[in-house]
Amino acid sequence: MNKSMTRSMVLAINLLVFSAYVNAAPSGETIARQGNGKGAVACISCHGDKGQGNEAAGYPYLAGQPLAYLVKQLHDFANKRRPNPIMQPFASALSEDEIKAVASYYAQLPLPKITSAKKSPSQTTTGEFLAKEGKWSVGMPACFQCHGDQGRGIAPNFPAISGQPASYIKKQLEHWRKGERTNDPIGLMQAVVADLDESEITAVADYLSEQSPTTYK
Amino acid sequence: MMNSKQLLLGLSMIALSQAVMADSTQRAHAVTEPIVTKPYLPPPKDTMPKGEFGDMVRLGKQVFTETGKYAPKYVGNKLNCVNCHLDAGRLANSAPLWAAWGKYPAYRGKNKMVNTMEERIQGCFTYSMNGSAPPADSQELKALMSYAYWLAEGAPTGVDLPGRGYPKLDEPENKPDYQRGEQVFVNNCALCHGDKGEGRKQNGKVVFPSLWGDDSFNWGAGMHRVNTAAAFIHANMPLGKGGSLTEQQAWDVAYYVNSHERPQDPRFKENVKTTKEAYHQHQCNYGEKIGKSVLGKR
């Protein structure tokens, strides 16, 4: 076999491998924008064009969240460890490769800028106090102790929480408190919210929703 | 100090005697309701004094919670005081400052002399922070002293307050074990502290502390003792779920964490063997052969 033949064979094989790869799984961005054509609809229709979420509807942002966290949530939606009638069929329709692809796509996007972010009032509110100091009289650490400075998230396991829609945060905290959501690693969130009352949950959800995860103080 | 079991027994007896005196419906109530003792409570966080003294108290809290940032000259690792004294040194059973304040000066077997509170805190910097002792007249130590004094406002002097130190555990049923400890670590600790105990940082700021290695406490720190670490872990870890591990699990994982290399004991002299003989006659793995190498050789 001469050199040019070897080269063209290598090229042909490369092309074959490449096209097989492309056929096997659409890219993460394609899934996000168009769905996978097998039951998973486009993520952007609820989670926003840039993965920034939808505050009015209470859909969370996905952009900039840790990869492992996103993969785990999709797995948990699919196997109902995180019960959610909207997400369950979509997550179930994704193959393992598609889950990794779409999670990788969102993980590499920048955290969204929260345009409705407010400056903290001069007086520390209940919500701010819970987020920064916790409520140790009942053994509750501060939100930012695990979710990082300003609630920007700590890869791989702790998602960003600042700037998520207030209704989304509130719903998650309530679900953990009632035992309706139980997919938190080693039950940390269930333990943390166990001793929070309704008004504290509202206060901390409101405070977090008004913080932008991209800005530092 | 009473250990937790003795305390529980004492409380149960009080509950029982009250229950016996009460009528039957109240008795059921007394037995099922947990008994809450009222420990000393430090002043609320938002009541720090105004003026120059208040400024020093505020600086003390900053040194305490972000030690590497506010006392960089004296810190040799990536830890902050608050990593072992939770809730900014306020939390009962997590070696709170308010309980230590009234117990110094005191004789300490560790350095065989009477230590003032300043000297006790200097010890933390030498060992737990793997750094050097801030002088007594340094801004950093004055600030920490002011913060501790403020936290202990109204607390009695010379009294062992409930919640002081870490609640001592009974000796474990089974000898602490590396393999079992590793399992406990993987299942409960690695989530935050990382698979290799390296901790996690964000923009250079520690979020979860390193448990061993160069960024952690050295072989002279109290936390390298398996019994001390077990007591801390059992009362306080995983964060937000204190008391959820069994005592055996706490012993095992404390043994596992303290079976890894960490910075040398600053009192090191000649070799590991002589250093061990001089300073490590307690429950620890310094100078022990674990796996292929002897710990403390680095």
Side-chain angles (χ1 to χ4, degrees):
Chain A
M1 226 179 339
N2 65 31
K3 256 190 187 165
S4 75
M5 257 182 80
T6 318
R7 248 191 225 153
S8 41
M9 266 181 74
V10 169
L11 188 67
I13 290 169
N14 277 345
L15 273 168
L16 266 173
V17 170
F18 183 68
S19 61
Y21 176 77
V22 168
N23 287 338
S27 76
E29 184 168 5
T30 307
I31 298 168
R33 300 204 161 277
Q34 300 163 22
N36 72 346
K38 293 173 189 165
V41 302
C43 311
I44 61 166
S45 45
C46 289
H47 293 282
D49 187 48
K50 297 186 174 91
Q52 77 274 29
N54 181 330
E55 197 186 343
Y59 297 131
Y61 64 77
L62 309 175
Q65 292 289 21
L67 171 62
Y69 170 79
L70 291 172
V71 168
K72 175 173 161 43
Q73 300 314 306
L74 286 169
H75 284 155
D76 289 353
F77 284 131
N79 64 28
K80 299 186 188 172
R81 281 202 64 210
R82 180 175 176 181
N84 184 310
I86 301 174
M87 283 304 299
Q88 197 270 329
F90 303 152
S92 303
L94 293 169
S95 71
E96 193 57 33
D97 285 345
E98 288 170 335
I99 283 180
K100 291 211 174 99
V102 74
S104 303
Y105 170 68
Y106 279 113
Q108 54 84 38
L109 290 177
L111 281 162
K113 255 207 145 55
I114 304 301
T115 46
S116 58
K118 288 181 193 159
K119 272 200 169 158
S120 295
S122 55
Q123 201 78 18
T124 307
T125 60
T126 303
E128 182 176 4
F129 198 84
L130 290 169
K132 292 182 174 171
E133 301 279 350
K135 188 183 174 190
W136 281 102
S137 58
V138 294
M140 182 203 146
C143 307
F144 293 169
Q145 204 153 353
C146 292
H147 290 279
D149 200 27
Q150 298 301 308
R152 293 163 57 97
I154 298 288
N157 303 309
F158 294 90
I161 50 175
S162 290
Q164 288 288 23
S167 61
Y168 171 75
I169 301 172
K170 195 175 170 196
K171 198 191 271 182
Q172 303 315 307
L173 294 176
E174 280 170 350
H175 283 184
W176 272 308
R177 195 171 57 150
K178 291 178 194 154
E180 289 168 14
R181 183 173 170 189
T182 56
N183 74 325
D184 46 334
I186 58 174
L188 282 179
M189 282 308 300
Q190 294 176 76
V192 161
V193 298
D195 293 304
L196 288 187
D197 64 32
E198 196 68 34
S199 69
E200 288 168 328
I201 285 180
T202 304
V204 77
D206 286 346
Y207 172 77
L208 290 173
S209 72
E210 290 163 0
Q211 308 306 306
S212 179
T214 54
T215 53
Y216 270 107
K217 264 187 201 162
Chain B
M1 197 168 82
M2 268 200 299
N3 68 28
S4 56
K5 276 213 177 134
Q6 286 169 329
L7 191 71
L8 202 65
L9 186 69
L11 291 173
S12 313
M13 285 179 69
I14 295 169
L16 195 67
S17 61
Q18 283 174 345
V20 169
M21 285 186 286
D23 69 37
S24 60
T25 52
Q26 280 174 333
R27 185 186 307 153
H29 183 73
V31 172
T32 50
E33 284 284 308
I35 300 183
V36 181
T37 52
K38 229 179 164 191
Y40 168 80
L41 283 178
K45 285 179 179 174
D46 54 2
T47 62
M48 279 186 194
K50 290 189 169 54
E52 285 85 350
F53 177 67
D55 292 341
M56 201 57 122
V57 172
R58 271 179 285 279
L59 177 63
K61 188 190 174 188
Q62 288 173 315
V63 173
F64 199 84
T65 54
E66 297 178 73
T67 319
K69 181 174 172 188
Y70 289 96
K73 273 194 284 182
Y74 308 109
V75 177
N77 58 21
K78 296 282 194 281
L79 300 186
N80 299 300
C81 307
V82 68
N83 293 141
C84 297
H85 308 267
L86 301 181
D87 192 21
R90 303 169 58 94
L91 189 65
N93 300 325
S94 181
L97 286 177
W98 46 261
W101 180 261
K103 291 298 286 182
Y104 288 91
Y107 178 81
R108 296 189 75 215
K110 182 167 182 171
N111 52 20
K112 298 191 173 51
M113 62 176 202
V114 171
N115 289 209
T116 61
M117 185 69 178
E118 282 97 334
E119 287 168 325
R120 181 65 191 84
I121 295 175
Q122 286 171 333
C124 288
F125 277 91
T126 305
Y127 302 110
S128 301
M129 307 306 293
N130 192 34
S132 57
D137 62 353
S138 65
Q139 193 79 344
E140 291 85 349
L141 197 45
K142 278 187 190 176
L144 286 171
M145 290 292 287
S146 301
Y147 180 54
Y149 168 81
W150 173 72
L151 284 175
E153 190 178 84
T157 294
V159 176
D160 241 334
L161 291 169
R164 184 182 175 210
Y166 308 127
K168 203 166 174 279
L169 300 181
D170 290 335
E171 287 300 311
E173 200 171 319
N174 302 305
K175 203 168 156 269
D177 177 81
Y178 186 96
Q179 261 85 31
R180 283 200 310 266
E182 185 175 23
Q183 269 315 302
V184 176
F185 184 86
V186 167
N187 294 336
N188 299 280
C189 317
L191 179 76
C192 296
H193 292 288
D195 294 338
K196 294 187 170 65
E198 71 276 22
R200 298 204 202 282
K201 297 180 195 73
Q202 184 183 50
N203 290 56
K205 198 171 157 186
V206 172
V207 180
F208 302 119
S210 307
L211 303 183
W212 60 84
D214 292 342
D215 290 343
S216 192
F217 53 88
N218 68 37
W219 282 114
M223 202 58 90
H224 92 282
R225 294 166 65 156
V226 177
N227 52 324
T228 304
F232 168 76
I233 291 165
H234 186 257
N236 297 297
M237 289 288 124
L239 198 67
K241 289 194 75 180
S244 63
L245 297 177
T246 65
E247 292 194 12
Q248 183 70 50
Q249 284 177 315
W251 278 103
D252 290 338
V253 79
Y255 183 90
Y256 173 76
V257 166
N258 283 319
S259 295
H260 292 85
E261 269 303 356
R262 54 181 65 264
Q264 184 56 268
D265 189 333
R267 301 163 296 184
F268 183 83
K269 52 178 188 186
E270 293 170 40
N271 56 48
V272 173
K273 192 164 172 283
T274 52
T275 308
K276 182 176 171 65
E277 277 162 13
Y279 300 115
H280 292 271
Q281 299 308 307
H282 48 230
Q283 287 174 289
C284 85
N285 291 326
Y286 184 82
E288 297 291 327
K289 194 174 178 197
I290 297 204
K292 281 180 190 157
S293 53
V294 174
L295 292 169
K297 279 251 167 179
R298 260 187 7 182

